[in-house]
Amino acid sequence: MNINGKLLLTVFLILVLPFGSPASGPGQPGKKKTVRLFIIGNSFSQNATTYLPQLAEEAGHSLTIGRAELGGCSLQRHWEIAAAAEADTADPKGKAYKGKSLRMLLSDGPWDVVTIQQYSLLSGDVGTYQPYADKLIALIRSIQPRTRILFHQTWAYRSDAKAFGKINGEERAADDREMWEKARTAYRSVAGTYGLGVIPSGDAFRAVVSDPEWGFRKDNDYHYSQPEYPSLPNQAHSLHVGYRWNKNRQLTFDANHAGPAGCYLGSLVWYACLFGESPARLTFAPEQVTAAQAAHFRKVAWKTVKRAGK
């Protein structure tokens, strides 16, 4: 290998190393890797890993996922559940994860990677992270001292949300951009305290929604106050669930959770982080995502992960 080749390889490893597979090393497309992943999260981590198994399978990698996820669960709540079990192993309050405690699940290792995240509503308020992140990280390291701990950066709500996340006590972000900015700053600030990496799902979402060609735009011609079943507003390019009719023919609105497109984008980001390689060569995509969207999302995911690794 010549000097230029060695230089390029060195730069590549620097960019990807923080996120590469702990078992097999980063950024070697075609080399089969093994990752045992444990997620401490909520519905947002479920969204963001929806298609991760399919992506790993297509690439020929081995992926095992353990989960301690509860809807709307914050860092504080996860720690309070763990603390109850640490104080009394028989306390049912400490076994909120389908009858098991966090220690029990983490002990079913070894785990190569453990992820934690804040509740999306609180992600923009850095004051809500501590002391709970500190305590959870200490617990994880006491059980799995060799694991890599990563923060999962959640995303902002859709631009037409009725309200956005909290950024200082009860103060709310003014819009989706401010919610993303505050959450991004908070995640990186706390992760940086421990020298931990960040899975930048929120940044990837922002890259898409802020793009004039690919971002969602509210349908201002739809009659939201008097909707007629089964008509829905145009929600092209929405990464979020948005509007839909329930079984009682009531129009519901979810500006927070990821729809199929958002779940796919999030899964691509997790794939790139965990396996340390571009998902560009992969072909799997859910049927709700067009071929053009899928190709664009793969590029966005890899670009976002590389930028986060700098």
Side-chain angles (χ1 to χ4, degrees):
M1 181 181 294
N2 60 31
I3 294 176
N4 288 337
K6 290 181 179 179
L7 178 60
L8 288 173
L9 177 60
T10 300
V11 172
F12 180 76
L13 290 175
I14 290 172
L15 290 176
V16 181
L17 184 57
F19 305 100
S21 165
S24 306
Q28 302 176 44
K31 184 175 182 180
K32 309 312 177 189
K33 304 168 188 175
T34 298
V35 172
R36 286 179 53 84
L37 166 68
F38 189 84
I39 302 170
I40 302 174
N42 50 43
S43 58
F44 272 44
S45 57
Q46 292 174 340
N47 285 175
T49 58
T50 298
Y51 302 113
L52 181 58
Q54 291 93 322
L55 297 172
E57 181 179 8
E58 181 184 349
H61 301 313
S62 175
L63 175 67
T64 300
I65 303 179
R67 298 181 182 272
E69 296 167 312
L70 298 171
C73 201
S74 64
L75 290 169
Q76 179 177 353
R77 185 180 173 201
H78 276 301
W79 169 247
E80 289 174 346
I81 292 168
E86 293 298 294
D88 180 0
T89 57
D91 188 344
K93 293 179 181 178
K95 298 179 179 180
Y97 312 107
K98 298 181 179 180
K100 292 187 176 182
S101 68
L102 190 56
R103 176 174 287 278
M104 293 168 67
L105 293 172
L106 284 170
S107 298
D108 187 21
W111 299 106
D112 299 312
V113 178
V114 177
T115 67
I116 61 176
Q117 66 185 61
Q118 181 57 295
Y119 173 35
S120 65
L121 181 66
L122 304 176
S123 289
D125 186 351
V126 70
T128 66
Y129 285 67
Q130 297 291 16
Y132 316 109
D134 187 77
K135 293 178 180 295
L136 283 169
I137 289 170
L139 178 65
I140 294 166
R141 285 177 169 163
S142 72
I143 302 170
Q144 295 286 339
R146 300 185 64 183
T147 195
R148 172 177 296 162
I149 303 173
L150 298 175
F151 273 87
H152 174 222
Q153 178 200 347
T154 53
W155 51 86
Y157 302 157
R158 203 167 81 173
S159 59
D160 57 343
K162 309 303 181 185
F164 298 93
K166 297 179 179 181
I167 57 176
N168 183 20
E170 293 303 310
E171 181 185 356
R172 300 281 189 127
D175 52 26
D176 61 317
R177 180 182 181 85
E178 185 176 25
M179 182 177 175
W180 161 70
E181 289 175 338
K182 294 293 186 180
R184 186 181 196 277
T185 298
Y187 274 111
R188 277 157 178 72
S189 173
V190 178
T193 301
Y194 307 95
L196 304 179
V198 175
I199 301 175
S201 297
D203 285 354
F205 269 60
R206 185 63 197 171
V208 172
V209 302
S210 61
D211 187 320
E213 181 180 355
W214 297 99
F216 166 78
R217 298 293 179 269
K218 183 178 180 179
D219 182 359
N220 292 317
D221 294 326
Y222 186 77
H223 299 292
Y224 295 94
S225 60
Q226 294 180 314
E228 295 184 6
Y229 179 86
S231 174
L232 286 170
N234 182 350
Q235 300 182 101
H237 294 174
S238 176
L239 297 178
H240 302 77
V241 173
Y243 289 94
R244 59 183 176 180
W245 295 94
N246 64 20
K247 62 182 180 180
N248 297 319
R249 296 191 175 185
Q250 296 173 321
L251 187 66
T252 63
F253 181 49
D254 183 350
N256 304 358
H257 293 91
C263 290
Y264 181 59
L265 177 61
S267 297
L268 289 167
V269 172
W270 279 65
Y271 174 89
C273 285
L274 294 175
F275 295 104
E277 63 186 35
S278 170
R281 66 191 178 95
L282 303 180
T283 61
F284 168 81
E287 61 181 14
Q288 300 93 331
V289 177
T290 68
Q293 276 183 309
H296 181 63
F297 288 176
R298 293 179 195 121
K299 293 178 182 177
V300 169
W302 184 233
K303 183 177 181 179
T304 302
V305 170
K306 287 198 298 179
R307 182 178 296 150
K310 289 184 178 180

